[in-house]
Structure formats: structure tokens, C-alpha cells
Amino acid sequence: MLKSKNRRHSVIIQLLILLALFAFSTAQQTHLQTARSFLERDDYMNAIKEADLAVLEDPSNSSALLIRGVSKFFLGYYDGASVDLDNAIQIAPELDVAYFFRGQTYNSKNEPLRAISDFTKALELGSKSNLLYRFR
């Protein structure tokens, strides 16, 4: 009977952990979707706030770092944008758009060689944007 009771408690604890993880990822996804929505409406300050919440929940969320970096870029916060985009690229080196915006950031900081390098990397990763050829 004791083993059965312990096994039941173990199963309940495992289920509670799974539910907590699901709620955690759901909240994170909500912040991410809200941040993306703000970014699409050019509301960069609110996009940053929501992306901050997603990053607080998961510091390795490359999408949240990307949204926050792009928002900072559009606000002219180039150093902060560079940090977020560097982190996004470190976590997900296949993000061609992160290279593109980091290149834009370098371009804005008058670092053309670094900008060209990032635009080239974005193209190598398969970006289909004609804008990349123009900026490179």
C-alpha cells in the first residue's frame, strides 16, 4: 500500500511539473505574440516590454531577442540592438533576419565592413530578400 501511495504521489508531482511547464511556455508564447504584434504596428517601446517578459521567462528565446533587437534598432538604440541580435545569433545562428538587422545596426554605427559581412551571411543562409543585395 505504501509503494502504491508513493507511486501515486510521484505521478501527481510529475503531472504538476508538466502543467507548470505548459503554463510557463503558454505565458511565454503570449508575450512573444504580443511583442510581435506591437512590432508589426511600429509600437517599438511596447514590443520591447513584451519581449523583455518573454526573455525573463526564457533567456535563450531567440525570437524574443530578435524582436527586442529589431525594436531597439528602429528606436535608434544601436548598442542595445547589437547586444540582443548578437545573443539571438549565438542561440540560433540560422536566423538570417538577425544578421540582416545586425548589419543594419553596424551600418547605422558607421561600420560598413561589419555590415557587409552580416548582409553576406544573411544571403548565405538563404534569405530571399532583394533588399539584402541592395544593402550589401
Side-chain angles (χ1 to χ4, degrees), residues 3 15 34 67 80 83 88 96 112 114 133-134 136:
K3 284 186 179 183
L15 285 173
T34 304
I67 290 169
V83 169
D96 58 345
R114 292 178 88 180
Y133 284 105
R134 188 176 128 227
R136 191 185 85 173

Side-chain angles (χ1 to χ4, degrees), residues 62 88-99 121-122 125-127:
S62 60
I89 289 168
Q90 235 179 353
I91 294 164
E94 72 282 355
L95 283 175
D96 58 345
V97 70
Y99 285 98
K121 183 66 176 179
L125 289 171
S127 179

Side-chain angles (χ1 to χ4, degrees), residues 80-93:
S82 290
V83 169
D84 284 338
L85 295 168
D86 287 345
N87 289 333
I89 289 168
Q90 235 179 353
I91 294 164

Side-chain angles (χ1 to χ4, degrees), residues 43-106:
D43 187 351
Y44 305 120
M45 290 304 293
N46 282 317
I48 290 169
K49 288 176 187 176
E50 288 295 324
D52 281 344
L53 294 172
V55 170
L56 280 174
E57 292 177 21
D58 179 9
S60 66
N61 186 325
S62 60
S63 296
L65 290 164
L66 176 65
I67 290 169
R68 193 169 72 179
V70 170
S71 296
K72 288 177 181 178
F73 167 78
F74 282 120
L75 289 171
Y77 305 149
Y78 302 126
D79 291 335
S82 290
V83 169
D84 284 338
L85 295 168
D86 287 345
N87 289 333
I89 289 168
Q90 235 179 353
I91 294 164
E94 72 282 355
L95 283 175
D96 58 345
V97 70
Y99 285 98
F100 171 76
F101 276 102
R102 192 174 69 175
Q104 286 288 76
T105 301
Y106 288 143

Side-chain angles (χ1 to χ4, degrees), residues 30-41:
T30 299
H31 292 305
L32 193 58
Q33 290 169 350
T34 304
R36 190 174 292 127
S37 176
F38 281 129
L39 179 62
E40 290 169 357
R41 293 185 311 222

